Amino acid sequence: MSLAFANLGETKVIIDFTGKEDIKRHLQDMGFVKGESVKLLSENESGLILLVKGVRVAINKGLASKIMVA
């Protein structure tokens, strides 16, 4: 499922990315790598605040929809 559909407080594991190579590279540069845990800390109409590798990262829901998690 897409990270955009995760519930508040859930911790998921990144399994894959969708989209163009430049988007995948951008996500990886931000710390989103396969096998890494991601926790959804907060959500509002403009995006999500996530905890990745001990760092809070804010991304919009469009970008979150490119991250596949389990």
Side-chain angles (χ1 to χ4, degrees):
M1 90 175 178
S2 166
L3 183 58
F5 296 110
N7 294 321
L8 193 62
E10 277 188 328
T11 300
K12 299 288 187 177
V13 177
I14 299 171
I15 56 172
D16 203 6
F17 303 98
T18 62
K20 297 180 181 178
E21 287 301 316
D22 58 335
I23 292 174
K24 293 178 188 178
R25 193 174 318 109
H26 177 65
L27 289 168
Q28 290 172 352
D29 290 345
M30 291 174 32
F32 296 95
V33 293
K34 290 182 183 178
E36 188 65 41
S37 295
V38 179
K39 183 175 183 178
L40 179 57
L41 299 177
S42 179
E43 180 178 9
N44 60 35
E45 60 278 347
S46 61
L48 309 173
I49 298 177
L50 308 163
L51 185 65
V52 182
K53 295 184 175 183
V55 177
R56 290 179 183 208
V57 179
I59 62 173
N60 65 31
K61 290 183 181 180
L63 202 51
S65 69
K66 305 282 186 198
I67 303 170
M68 298 296 122
V69 294

